[in-house]
Amino acid sequence: MAVTSIWSIKGWIGKVINYAENPDKTKEQTSQELISESETGQLQGLNDVITYAVNAEKTRLRQSKSMEMEVVGESEELMEQYVSGLNCAPTTAREEMIAVKKRFGKEDGIVAFHGYQSFAPGECNPAMAHEIGKKLAEELWGSQYQVLIATHLDKANHLHNHFVVNSVSFIDGKRYHRTNQDYRDMRMVSDRLCKEYQLSVVRQPEQGKGKHYAEWQAEQDGKPSYHSMVKADVDEAIRKARTEKQFFFYLREKGYSFKFGKDITIRPEGRERGLKLKRNFGENYSLEAIRVRTLEENELPAEKKFPVQRHYRIRVSGNFKQTRKIGGLRGLYLHYCYLLGILPKNRPSISAKQVHVLFREDLLKLNTVSKETKLLCHYHIDTAEQLFSLKDHLQKQMEQCAEERKHLRYKIRADRPEEEIQEMKEQIKVLTEKIGTLRKEAALCDGIAARSKVIEEKFKMVREEKEQKEEQRHEHIRRSR
């Protein structure tokens, strides 16, 4: 089994090579070793990487009297070195790569790419690992780029290859751009070569971030890892939640904070860095996928044991017949929320499968439906006339606030004291926020006008379907007599 990765290197080209050759890389370094403090930011230059890749203490071994292979230093007599060059000589790799860059005038920017291929402990010997590394480099970069291949032997039973790929082609001077497809190709070719040599491979992971070997090994041994525990919490929140809002509520209850961008980043309490869900766990953890999964994977809670009911006698006055039921648009939306399973608040969760097929499409829009319901209840809107009147009122308020904000902006341009200008800026900020709120409420009015007709049509279809089933049932009873 081999785990692969590749990343770009910036800095001085010579430093990457020294990084690969330095015999002290296996030792703990101080600020005076290998580099000065001022050069720390350029450690991953080309000279550094090549020095590290062909590190004498990491790439040579000897055979002892007991026939055991062990890592040794340069002073040993019987040694075998596992360093090869592709389109360049190992001893002059740095000079040859620099010469190509100078020939095409591309000495700045990314100077090289550092690749990595790690094998499972005890699966292969150094010669086999190096041979696989050379074949991998030949297939991926051999036609256009100079590559240094080195097999490291510095860890017990842990063989791994390093690749230093020149960022500029010696054929046409084109730069190498590592894309996600290049990374997938590297993993695919590595897996194929491992199979040819009868080595194990990591099963094809979901699209997203590749797994570290330690994480993969922990999964194989059934041991928890940081990623697996976060993933388990996310999966549990998805199973419990009925809506996107509930999903993030359950995560917050577990101590997670989150932020939104192209991906959802969640951070457990006590961690400095967060995890991107889609990047680390795959397509099933994008925002859209989570919305769908909250509907499909929703689990019913365990049956609650209610306390013994106590009966009380109370006296009431008045006439129950005079109590007014909520109807119109408010009643329509409240009943719809009940059918969707979000009202009442203390109601046990129901599965998406229990919701009528005509209503399921709105389960993905529960946040909007909830906002529209709150608007209707807040302003006590029951009829279409009241709704349109509210929208006109909101638009007039927006125009009034916009006019006030306009006058304040004109006043700021005049020569006034700094305190007065700051006060007017605060007033402008308040007005802007108010305009934004009014605009959203006006948009909700438009949404209610359109959705209410659709809801009524759905109710009609469900009613007709129910009546038809009742007729069929009665017809069946009549025929059975």
Side-chain angles (χ1 to χ4, degrees):
M1 181 212 70
V3 179
T4 57
S5 184
I6 185 169
W7 58 93
S8 60
I9 304 299
K10 294 182 180 180
W12 174 45
I13 190 168
K15 294 189 69 61
V16 185
I17 299 173
N18 291 337
Y19 185 71
E21 294 172 343
N22 189 350
D24 297 326
K25 289 300 293 180
T26 53
K27 301 176 183 177
E28 185 177 357
Q29 297 176 18
T30 64
S31 58
Q32 286 132 4
E33 293 176 330
L34 180 62
I35 53 171
S36 64
E37 291 182 1
S38 63
E39 294 174 321
T40 302
Q42 297 180 347
L43 176 63
Q44 289 291 327
L46 180 60
N47 198 26
D48 287 334
V49 173
I50 293 183
T51 303
Y52 183 81
V54 297
N55 185 337
E57 291 190 3
K58 292 171 177 281
T59 56
R60 295 182 181 181
L61 55 82
R62 70 174 176 85
Q63 192 170 15
S64 64
K65 294 180 182 179
S66 61
M67 300 301 291
E68 294 177 352
M69 306 301 285
E70 57 187 59
V71 181
V72 297
E74 291 181 341
S75 59
E76 299 295 336
E77 296 180 359
L78 297 176
M79 294 183 179
E80 187 174 358
Q81 188 166 0
Y82 292 93
V83 181
S84 300
L86 184 62
N87 302 317
C88 64
T91 53
T92 57
R94 175 181 57 188
E95 289 75 14
E96 292 182 49
M97 290 184 183
I98 293 174
V100 169
K101 293 178 183 297
K102 288 183 177 179
R103 175 153 50 104
F104 292 100
K106 296 182 178 180
E107 299 174 69
D108 56 345
I110 295 173
V111 297
F113 285 84
H114 188 173
Y116 181 82
Q117 183 186 34
S118 176
F119 298 92
E123 270 203 344
C124 63
N125 55 47
M128 181 187 294
H130 193 65
E131 187 177 347
I132 293 173
K134 288 194 292 183
K135 288 186 177 181
L136 177 67
E138 177 67 39
E139 189 164 341
L140 293 176
W141 309 293
S143 61
Q144 281 192 304
Y145 299 95
Q146 297 157 305
V147 187
L148 186 75
I149 309 108
T151 303
H152 279 196
L153 322 165
D154 58 299
K155 296 181 181 178
N157 298 322
H158 180 204
L159 297 169
H160 53 282
N161 291 324
H162 286 269
F163 308 94
V164 182
V165 185
N166 194 359
S167 60
V168 179
S169 170
F170 67 92
I171 299 293
D172 51 17
K174 289 185 178 180
R175 284 191 178 275
Y176 176 68
H177 298 284
R178 190 200 73 83
T179 63
N180 289 335
Q181 184 59 46
D182 292 324
Y183 176 76
R184 287 191 289 269
D185 289 343
M186 185 179 184
R187 186 178 63 198
M188 184 176 61
V189 174
S190 175
D191 287 349
R192 177 170 54 76
L193 290 171
C194 285
K195 288 179 181 178
E196 290 179 7
Y197 284 82
Q198 298 181 344
L199 304 180
S200 63
V201 297
V202 178
R203 296 301 175 190
Q204 191 72 12
E206 295 179 12
Q207 186 175 355
K209 186 177 179 181
K211 288 184 180 178
H212 190 276
Y213 172 74
E215 183 184 351
W216 178 85
Q217 188 64 49
E219 288 185 4
Q220 298 301 308
D221 297 338
K223 297 178 182 178
S225 65
Y226 169 56
H227 281 67
S228 66
M229 288 189 289
V230 172
K231 186 178 180 182
D233 286 342
V234 173
D235 289 338
E236 184 183 350
I238 289 173
R239 287 194 300 271
K240 285 185 176 180
R242 285 294 311 282
T243 66
E244 174 188 339
K245 190 175 181 180
Q246 287 179 349
F247 167 72
F248 289 111
F249 170 78
Y250 287 129
L251 281 182
R252 194 181 290 112
E253 273 195 333
K254 288 179 175 290
Y256 288 92
S257 59
F258 32 83
K259 62 180 181 179
F260 304 91
K262 291 183 179 179
D263 200 347
I264 305 170
T265 303
I266 66 171
R267 184 175 61 84
E269 224 172 322
R271 288 266 181 174
E272 292 185 2
R273 300 185 66 180
L275 284 176
K276 293 184 183 295
L277 294 185
K278 182 180 174 182
R279 179 181 175 186
N280 285 279
F281 304 135
E283 292 291 338
N284 284 337
Y285 293 85
S286 65
L287 184 58
E288 287 299 323
I290 288 172
R291 286 172 179 163
V292 174
R293 288 178 63 193
T294 53
L295 306 181
E296 296 177 348
E297 301 179 17
N298 185 253
E299 63 178 18
L300 291 174
E303 186 177 351
K304 293 183 179 179
K305 293 183 179 180
F306 294 98
V308 179
Q309 293 185 353
R310 296 182 180 181
H311 300 278
Y312 299 92
R313 287 185 180 184
I314 58 172
R315 281 187 179 182
V316 295
S317 60
N319 188 355
F320 284 106
K321 293 182 180 179
Q322 294 178 357
T323 56
R324 181 175 174 269
K325 292 183 178 179
I326 297 176
L329 291 175
R330 269 195 298 169
L332 180 74
Y333 264 79
L334 289 171
H335 183 53
Y336 194 49
C337 288
Y338 174 79
L339 294 176
L340 292 176
I342 57 176
L343 283 178
K345 289 183 178 179
N346 58 351
R347 179 184 181 183
S349 298
I350 61 174
S351 171
K353 295 180 180 179
Q354 295 176 265
V355 179
H356 195 280
V357 66
L358 290 174
F359 305 147
R360 285 181 191 171
E361 60 179 343
D362 277 340
L363 287 173
L364 295 173
K365 307 170 186 174
L366 286 182
N367 286 339
T368 305
V369 173
S370 178
K371 288 177 182 177
E372 291 173 354
T373 306
K374 288 178 180 178
L375 180 77
L376 292 172
C377 294
H378 179 71
Y379 290 103
H380 300 279
I381 304 297
D382 293 328
T383 65
E385 289 76 15
Q386 291 175 332
L387 182 67
F388 294 134
S389 175
L390 173 64
K391 184 183 176 183
D392 291 339
H393 176 67
L394 293 172
Q395 287 179 334
K396 287 178 181 177
Q397 280 189 305
M398 276 193 290
E399 291 171 2
Q400 184 180 350
C401 291
E403 193 66 26
E404 290 180 21
R405 185 175 64 178
K406 183 179 177 182
H407 285 304
L408 286 171
R409 284 174 175 170
Y410 281 136
K411 288 181 180 179
I412 286 179
R413 296 176 185 175
D415 188 14
R416 296 176 181 274
E418 185 64 28
E419 292 181 1
E420 191 174 341
I421 290 175
Q422 287 299 325
E423 185 179 348
M424 284 188 285
K425 284 183 178 180
E426 286 296 323
Q427 292 176 11
I428 289 172
K429 182 180 177 181
V430 172
L431 287 170
T432 302
E433 291 175 355
K434 186 176 180 181
I435 291 170
T437 303
L438 293 170
R439 186 177 289 115
K440 288 177 182 178
E441 290 185 347
L444 288 175
C445 290
D446 292 333
I448 292 168
R451 197 188 305 278
S452 60
K453 297 185 184 299
V454 177
I455 294 174
E456 287 176 349
E457 189 64 30
K458 288 180 178 179
F459 281 176
K460 183 180 178 182
M461 293 172 67
V462 171
R463 199 180 304 115
E464 290 175 353
E465 182 183 332
K466 187 176 180 181
E467 290 174 357
Q468 187 178 358
K469 287 182 179 180
E470 282 292 320
E471 287 179 6
Q472 290 175 355
R473 190 171 67 87
H474 291 313
E475 181 67 24
H476 177 71
I477 293 173
R478 282 196 298 269
R479 288 182 179 181
S480 63
R481 286 177 180 175

